Amino acid sequence: MDSLRKKKVAKIESDYVLQREQQEHTYVKKRRGLIRRLTFYGICAAIISVLTVITLISQAGALEKKTAEMEQVKSKLAQLKKAENVLKEEIVKLEDDEYIAKLARKEYFLSEKGEIIFNLPEKEDDSD
């Protein structure tokens, strides 16, 4: 039995065998090229995917920041509109002579003839 296992096997040198070896070599070469191309395309796809995700995250952050800024501006706009309404009411009141006289008495301590102005202290919350 040992003698059968130790026999040397000779390679057949025929056109068919050479052709099959050449086909096998070409197949291995094409397969290696295919694996290289697929690896390259996979790496490119991964890079593009990562860049897309990074862009989306940064845009979401910018959008959130702009939304917060818009809310602040809307709040400020509401305050300014409220102040505008108050000022418009003040303009209407300032067209009334009685209001102007009342305002002059209060702010500048002016009086009409025969009037006496008394300055009373402001009320304090805690009484002693």
Side-chain angles (χ1 to χ4, degrees):
M1 269 184 151
D2 286 334
S3 63
L4 291 176
R5 287 187 188 169
K6 292 184 179 181
K7 284 185 181 179
K8 292 186 178 183
V9 177
K11 185 176 178 185
I12 301 175
E13 297 287 335
S14 70
D15 289 337
Y16 176 76
V17 171
L18 291 175
Q19 185 182 10
R20 286 297 283 167
E21 285 178 355
Q22 191 176 19
Q23 285 176 350
E24 186 71 27
H25 180 67
T26 305
Y27 174 76
V28 169
K29 198 173 182 183
K30 284 183 180 181
R31 184 165 173 84
R32 189 179 306 137
L34 176 66
I35 290 172
R36 286 180 183 167
R37 283 192 304 275
L38 288 177
T39 303
F40 175 74
Y41 292 141
I43 290 171
C44 288
I47 290 171
I48 290 171
S49 298
V50 167
L51 291 175
T52 303
V53 168
I54 289 171
T55 303
L56 288 175
I57 289 171
S58 67
Q59 285 180 350
L63 181 63
E64 185 177 322
K65 185 177 178 182
K66 292 293 183 182
T67 303
E69 185 179 329
M70 185 175 74
E71 291 299 321
Q72 288 177 346
V73 169
K74 281 184 178 180
S75 173
K76 188 172 182 179
L77 178 65
Q79 290 174 351
L80 290 174
K81 283 187 177 184
K82 190 175 182 181
E84 180 187 22
N85 289 337
V86 169
L87 290 174
K88 282 183 180 180
E89 290 175 7
E90 187 71 22
I91 289 172
V92 170
K93 288 179 183 177
L94 287 173
E95 291 175 357
D96 184 20
D97 290 336
E98 289 179 23
Y99 180 76
I100 293 174
K102 182 179 173 184
L103 189 66
R105 284 188 194 105
K106 181 179 176 184
E107 296 290 325
Y108 302 109
F109 303 110
L110 298 177
S111 64
E112 291 182 3
K113 284 188 178 181
E115 269 186 341
I116 300 174
I117 298 176
F118 294 100
N119 230 354
L120 300 176
E122 296 290 326
K123 291 184 178 179
E124 293 184 13
D125 289 337
D126 54 0
S127 56
D128 291 331

